[in-house]
Amino acid sequence: MNKATYRAAALAAVAALSLTATACGGSDDGDDNPLTGGSADSGGGKAIVVGSANFPENQLLAEIYAQALEDKGLKVTRKFDIGAREVFYDQVVKGGIGVIPEYNGALLSVAVDKKSTATSTEEINAELTKKLPKSVGILDSAAAEDKDSVTVTAETADKYNLKTLADLKPVAKDLAIGAGSEFKTRTQGGVGLKTVYGVEFGKFQPLDAGAQSTLLKLLKDDKVQAANLYTTDPAIVEDKLVVLEDPKNLFSSQNVTPLIYKSAVNDKAKSALNALSAKLTTEDLLDMMKKLVNDKEDASDVAKEWLASAGLAS
């Protein structure tokens, strides 16, 4: 799950901060308390606030969460497209968001413990359970996983004989990589490429949130020679791109995992979300992303169809 093509660039994060009061459930009278009008006491009349980051896959997952909760008779308020983890994580901790789809490895290494060396799902979730603030927690992880990658075209792979991230070391100084701006300073990003593999690109091309099509065009036009793509990006298969292998596990397990504000999510909601995680696979996620990105289907319809096919809709 970190996966930066769609994530916010710095300007997007700043812009999102201007919406913090809204994202936190603040009222129109100037109350910026993140708990005001926000996450449910889900056993009562208030709604559970389901949030999302500002990239299509996470918004789709949030819609799946929202519909699964609604199917159990729970009230939901959607607050999607909030921003990058650097923006939304604090809102969960403060209670402005009740639940958000997370990627466990990215959550640990970016927001909770930047020095963590955990790589497996079990190790990561054990550390999260121990180290997360008391106000928040994680529910069951799905088998579905979407990892960061450094991806190149087949032509670039052939030209420089690239198969793994280690193969970049002697040539990266002559290449450019495109990614969301935060990728440059993340451990599971530019920092880790340097420390783990000794890889330093000659140029870093930052992109704004939602700039997938721009990044892919830059990559295919050889304006950048590498791109930080999510491994469930349909373009990888369609354009026959090459995901460079990561033998040293720089990019840790990234299982889709609900991050919750504990007092906002009751047992009924937890049960619904855990049942969802038990069904969601990487293949499901890739199939849904194809419908969303390639076929331009509406996220609400894609979510509804998957929930029905998984036997999670009444």
Side-chain angles (χ1 to χ4, degrees), residues 173-195:
K173 65 181 182 300
D174 300 320
L175 308 179
I177 185 170
S181 63
E182 69 279 1
F183 182 83
K184 186 176 183 179
T185 57
R186 284 180 172 176
T187 301
Q188 294 191 41
V191 173
L193 283 170
K194 181 179 179 179
T195 58

Side-chain angles (χ1 to χ4, degrees), residues 80-248:
F80 295 176
D81 198 27
I82 294 170
R85 183 173 294 104
E86 287 82 350
V87 177
F88 69 69
Y89 174 74
D90 189 54
Q91 307 311 317
V92 183
V93 173
K94 292 178 179 178
I97 301 169
V99 60
I100 194 166
E102 257 291 13
Y103 303 89
N104 57 353
L107 172 63
L108 177 62
S109 66
V110 175
V112 179
D113 182 1
K114 294 181 179 180
K115 296 182 179 180
S116 173
T117 58
T119 57
S120 72
T121 301
E122 294 75 17
E123 291 171 341
I124 290 166
N125 285 352
E127 287 202 20
L128 285 171
T129 300
K130 180 180 179 180
K131 297 177 180 179
L132 279 167
K134 292 181 179 180
S135 62
V136 299
I138 56 170
L139 301 181
D140 293 349
S141 291
E145 188 177 19
D146 188 1
K147 300 180 73 167
D148 276 295
S149 75
V150 175
T151 294
V152 300
T153 63
E155 292 77 13
T156 296
D158 289 341
K159 180 178 180 179
Y160 296 102
N161 194 27
L162 302 177
K163 295 181 179 179
T164 75
L165 292 175
D167 296 333
L168 284 166
K169 185 176 179 179
V171 299
K173 65 181 182 300
D174 300 320
L175 308 179
I177 185 170
S181 63
E182 69 279 1
F183 182 83
K184 186 176 183 179
T185 57
R186 284 180 172 176
T187 301
Q188 294 191 41
V191 173
L193 283 170
K194 181 179 179 179
T195 58
V196 175
Y197 287 104
V199 170
E200 291 187 79
F201 283 92
K203 180 181 178 181
F204 178 77
Q205 176 62 60
L207 290 108
D208 291 339
Q212 179 204 23
S213 59
T214 302
L215 178 57
L216 287 169
K217 187 175 190 309
L218 290 173
L219 183 65
K220 290 188 286 186
D221 290 348
D222 201 36
K223 298 294 178 61
V224 299
Q225 291 71 50
N228 174 224
L229 297 181
Y230 296 152
T231 53
T232 57
D233 193 320
I236 291 174
V237 175
E238 289 185 355
D239 296 326
K240 298 180 180 179
L241 303 176
V242 177
V243 175
L244 298 181
E245 296 173 16
D246 179 19
K248 295 183 179 180

